[in-house]
Amino acid sequence: MCGIVGYIGKNDTKKFLIDGLKELEYRGYDSAGIALLGDDGIETYKAVGKLINLEEKITQNCTNCFETPVGIGHTRWATHGKPTEINAHPHLGAYSFVVHNGIIENYKELKDELISQGIEFLSQTDTEVIVHLFEKFHKITNNTKEAFCKTIEALHGAYAILLITKADKDKIFFAKSGSPMIIGKSQNEIFFASSDAPLIGYASEVIYLEDGEFGEADQNGISFYSNNTTKWNKLQTSKQLAQKNGFRFFMEKEIYEQSEVASDCMLGRIKDNGISFDEISLDFFDDIRDIKICACGTSYHAGLTGSYLLQRLGNIRCEVEIASEFRYKEPILDKNTLFVVISQSGETADTLEALKMAKNSGLKTLAICNVDNSSITRVADVTLLTRAGIEKGVASTKAFTTQTLVLWMLSLYIGKIKNSINNNLLQNELRTLREVPRVLKIDSSIHEKCKRLSKRYLHGHGFFFIGRDVFYPLALEGALKLKEISYLHAEGYPAGEMKHGPIALADPELFTIALMPQNLLYDKIKSNVEELSARDSTICAISPLNFELADDFIKTNLCDHYMLEFFEMLVALQLLSQEISIRLGNDVDMPRNLAKSVTVE
Ligand code: F6R
């Protein structure tokens, strides 16, 4: 989720790049950089941390810097390599610079080949291969267009790329596949950005590039090397709307982003024969016999979901604890336990302290985290980044999705290295993982249905969200989403446990949201819901199978794996909570009493 900008024109290049990066800082802020290309050569500035550090560096060092008609910039969310100045973009070759958002999946093969041909790499990033490939092909062809086309042909993965070169100094070469890129124009100026927001006030018209489109731009306009569907659109003028990409709330935008971030989360990690985590050394699991997961809130729910998968697919014992409880129970810790913490922010005080306790007791530690260089990632032995990009809505959505995906991948990783998963099952799981981004693409009919249903569920004396197996933590998560943004009382419960007490509450004013997947314990959950229906509870069933006792029904798609149902139902629960909150007139993105990062006990 990095952000990129580019500029060609006679006005203030630096100003557009810096202003543009400020608008994109939400996409990543562990380092930033710009490169400026003019008659006198290339100048580049990079700094670690927030954009303000880059601005200060430019102000100190660029007192006499030349006027440059061409420039590119980048704000980074680390995926390959730590957030250091060397790893910050733009990446340089001998005479060219590149910025990139996305992940080059085959970078290792390309890098090894380039190294064997004598090319020296400075950074640990996947991006650097692009600029060296370009220069290699340029040396062979002596033609920038051909060199760029050959470079793009060689890349697999997701990318939005801008490249500038002294060999053709009036141009920016661009390519898009899987990561967003927009081109804007005004009189005699061309702009590039990862979203609308940087272009507002600068460009009058924009093109939203489609996957597979690439080409070059100069002062005279744009030439595509690919087939293109170029259509100039008028640019909207509201910055607020642009930051939210037209969505009403950041939460809504983040719900809709889940398909994209799921792809980012899995990129480069799913191979033909299993899961690969570059971050984990080969012997890391040698002495590990079980796993303890610690987290808070939504991250705890992801942990609970993961515990089912780790046991089922990884064949490894796994316990999950709420971090604030774990800290004070004087836990007995075993050196053969891997201690896993999960955190979106990487700053949650209880989770951080639990991690320190485990580390001080000599346990191996692993963090699943969204923010690189956060406190938690600095303490843990190993970090698996979730790559969800910045989450602005206080109610966590896309972070949960990516945490669950990492845990699912980790289960398969462990299953493979411990030889406890057979190849047919492994292949089926890998195929299913690849399906997740498609399932997370939101069907407008589900959103419409949630809008309509939200009218019915405003009053009553409470909600029960019920499910079994992984759908139990999903029920907990659905209930948490609803209570935090609607302020209605909601509880998540294991469906089979209702008859042991809570069923006493059942009456028409008790709303039951029943998660009824086709592929996991359908008959069991059906009986549990029938028991509630017999006691007159109002039932809203979420299922691909018709259920005649349901008062309301959200129909999900038929599919062949319970985890695909899990993600489809997750989206329905998120949208339902959001629509109820909107109807109640609440502030969806900043609900009362809550904070995005809980750095106190
Ligand atoms: C709920 C929510 C919180 C967080 C919890 C832990 O929507 O966002 O429950 O999940 O405060 O935060 P992190 O994951 O940053 O450790």
Side-chain angles (χ1 to χ4, degrees):
M1 277 284 288
C2 309
I4 60 180
V5 285
Y7 177 81
I8 304 173
K10 295 223 161 62
N11 289 323
D12 192 340
T13 307
K14 273 194 308 293
K15 181 169 171 5
F16 171 76
L17 297 180
I18 294 294
D19 286 354
L21 291 178
K22 278 185 193 157
E23 295 293 342
L24 296 177
E25 208 175 5
Y26 74 92
R27 296 178 66 88
Y29 47 73
D30 60 43
S31 55
I34 62 169
L36 305 162
L37 177 59
D39 288 337
D40 299 342
I42 290 186
E43 277 193 27
T44 180
Y45 301 91
K46 296 185 188 189
V48 172
K50 296 235 163 107
L51 206 55
I52 182 94
N53 301 345
L54 177 68
E55 267 189 290
E56 275 167 15
K57 202 162 186 180
I58 294 174
T59 318
Q60 281 160 16
N61 298 298
C62 189
T63 41
N64 282 323
C65 63
F66 50 77
E67 289 304 310
T68 57
V70 172
I72 54 176
H74 186 273
T75 178
R76 180 166 185 251
W77 188 266
T79 55
H80 291 76
K82 291 263 163 228
T84 59
E85 217 166 277
I86 290 279
N87 287 334
H89 302 217
H91 288 286
L92 64 151
Y95 51 91
S96 317
F97 282 76
V98 71
V99 291
H100 160 229
N101 166 29
I103 294 174
I104 304 301
E105 278 198 74
N106 58 337
Y107 89 98
K108 269 210 167 129
E109 295 91 298
L110 295 171
K111 187 169 176 173
D112 290 347
E113 195 183 321
L114 286 162
I115 289 174
S116 73
Q117 292 162 357
I119 306 290
E120 270 181 45
F121 278 74
L122 296 176
S123 76
Q124 299 154 315
T125 65
D126 52 334
T127 302
E128 199 183 335
V129 295
I130 302 171
V131 73
H132 293 310
L133 263 185
F134 172 80
E135 291 188 351
K136 172 183 140 175
F137 290 130
H138 184 242
K139 274 189 201 116
I140 299 169
T141 60
N142 200 23
N143 178 311
T144 49
K145 175 178 172 179
E146 254 184 76
F148 192 65
C149 290
K150 280 183 184 298
T151 305
I152 297 307
E153 223 172 85
L155 304 178
H156 300 163
Y159 49 78
I161 293 169
L162 297 179
L163 182 141
I164 56 178
T165 175
K166 279 201 241 175
D168 220 343
K169 60 186 172 40
D170 300 328
K171 291 180 181 159
I172 292 183
F173 296 86
F174 62 86
K176 179 218 178 319
S177 180
S179 302
M181 168 130 45
I182 298 165
I183 307 181
K185 69 171 179 186
S186 69
Q187 259 192 344
N188 305 324
E189 285 175 300
I190 300 284
F191 310 89
F192 293 87
S194 302
S195 84
D196 280 356
L199 305 182
I200 292 173
Y202 287 98
S204 50
E205 286 182 296
V206 291
I207 303 173
Y208 298 89
L209 288 183
E210 299 288 341
D211 284 347
E213 292 186 337
F214 65 117
E216 62 171 61
D218 63 18
Q219 291 252 3
N220 302 319
I222 296 161
S223 313
F224 282 89
Y225 302 159
S226 55
N227 289 335
N228 73 89
T229 50
T230 318
K231 217 172 79 209
W232 289 99
N233 300 278
K234 285 256 164 294
L235 182 63
Q236 57 175 312
T237 51
S238 156
K239 277 224 187 255
Q240 254 291 328
L241 263 184
Q243 280 180 341
K244 292 182 190 159
N245 277 357
F247 291 102
R248 295 166 295 174
F249 299 97
F250 282 110
M251 179 180 176
E252 187 172 50
K253 171 172 166 276
E254 286 156 10
I255 294 172
Y256 274 79
E257 259 169 20
Q258 288 178 113
S259 170
E260 184 191 337
V261 298
S263 301
D264 287 349
C265 175
M266 294 188 291
L267 260 175
R269 290 171 166 170
I270 304 182
K271 306 285 184 206
D272 289 344
N273 59 350
I275 298 294
S276 136
F277 285 119
D278 293 345
E279 304 85 339
I280 303 179
S281 65
L282 282 177
D283 57 356
F284 189 71
F285 279 95
D286 279 358
D287 47 0
I288 296 300
R289 282 204 293 267
D290 57 16
I291 291 182
K292 182 176 282 293
I293 298 179
C294 241
C296 303
T298 289
S299 298
Y300 167 73
H301 297 155
L304 265 184
T305 309
S307 70
Y308 287 88
L309 300 173
L310 283 159
Q311 304 214 136
R312 183 169 295 144
L313 303 169
N315 198 22
I316 188 161
R317 262 196 314 276
C318 179
E319 281 179 2
V320 193
E321 289 203 52
I322 290 176
S324 54
E325 285 300 309
F326 171 82
R327 287 178 63 185
Y328 297 103
K329 72 190 300 196
E330 297 174 21
I332 299 167
L333 295 172
D334 183 319
K335 295 245 164 54
N336 297 115
T337 300
L338 172 67
F339 196 81
V340 175
V341 289
I342 307 173
S343 175
Q344 188 286 126
S345 61
E347 303 296 344
T348 301
D350 284 319
T351 311
L352 178 61
E353 287 310 313
L355 171 65
K356 286 181 185 161
M357 278 170 66
K359 198 151 183 201
N360 291 338
S361 305
L363 270 67
K364 276 190 186 163
T365 57
L366 182 148
I368 295 175
C369 189
N370 198 30
V371 182
D372 198 7
N373 223 20
S374 57
S375 305
I376 284 178
T377 63
R378 288 200 301 269
V379 175
D381 298 321
V382 169
T383 296
L384 297 177
L385 290 176
T386 47
R387 307 175 183 161
I390 291 179
E391 198 178 53
K392 281 201 171 177
V394 164
S396 190
T397 52
K398 58 180 182 165
F400 176 81
T401 294
T402 51
Q403 289 165 346
T404 306
L405 281 172
V406 170
L407 285 158
W408 185 2
M409 289 189 281
L410 188 64
S411 310
L412 298 173
Y413 181 88
I414 296 173
K416 175 92 191 277
I417 55 171
K418 298 245 177 227
N419 260 331
S420 61
I421 186 166
N422 75 49
N423 197 43
N424 282 350
L425 177 58
L426 177 65
Q427 287 303 327
N428 189 44
E429 294 293 308
L430 296 174
R431 179 189 60 74
T432 311
L433 269 167
R434 291 194 183 97
E435 295 271 302
V436 172
R438 178 187 58 74
V439 166
L440 285 167
K441 285 218 164 92
I442 296 173
D443 180 344
S444 61
S445 66
I446 288 238
H447 198 160
E448 272 315 306
K449 181 87 197 210
C450 291
K451 272 188 195 157
R452 266 184 289 125
L453 281 183
S454 65
K455 273 189 260 179
R456 280 189 67 151
Y457 290 95
L458 300 178
H459 310 290
H461 60 68
F463 286 78
F464 267 90
F465 287 68
I466 59 167
R468 302 185 74 126
D469 201 279
V470 289
F471 294 87
Y472 160 51
L474 184 60
L476 290 173
E477 176 58 8
L480 178 63
K481 283 299 81 94
L482 185 68
K483 59 190 149 196
E484 65 186 323
I485 58 174
S486 73
Y487 322 140
L488 297 172
H489 181 75
E491 264 189 78
Y493 231 77
E497 189 66 9
M498 290 297 283
K499 55 186 170 298
H500 298 290
I503 203 165
L505 290 166
D507 69 17
E509 302 301 301
L510 178 80
F511 302 139
T512 300
I513 311 288
L515 306 179
M516 304 178 70
Q518 174 198 10
N519 293 293
L520 197 66
L521 302 172
Y522 181 77
D523 290 335
K524 303 280 171 212
I525 177 92
K526 189 163 169 259
S527 314
N528 300 141
V529 182
E530 279 163 1
E531 287 152 15
L532 279 155
S533 170
R535 280 137 190 106
D536 266 351
S537 173
T538 299
I539 310 285
C540 174
I542 308 185
S543 181
L545 302 177
N546 287 324
F547 179 57
E548 61 286 357
L549 295 179
D551 298 281
D552 287 306
F553 194 60
I554 299 178
K555 197 165 171 55
T556 49
N557 288 305
L558 288 169
C559 61
D560 61 1
H561 197 295
Y562 64 93
M563 284 307 289
L564 298 181
E565 299 191 76
F566 178 96
F567 284 109
E568 208 185 330
M569 289 186 191
L570 168 66
V571 169
L573 294 175
Q574 293 166 339
L575 290 171
L576 186 63
S577 300
Q578 180 191 269
E579 293 309 322
I580 292 176
S581 170
I582 293 171
R583 266 189 207 279
L584 290 168
N586 298 342
D587 185 337
V588 170
D589 284 334
M590 277 183 268
R592 71 187 186 200
N593 305 340
L594 296 178
K596 187 68 191 158
S597 183
V598 187
T599 52
V600 291
E601 247 197 88

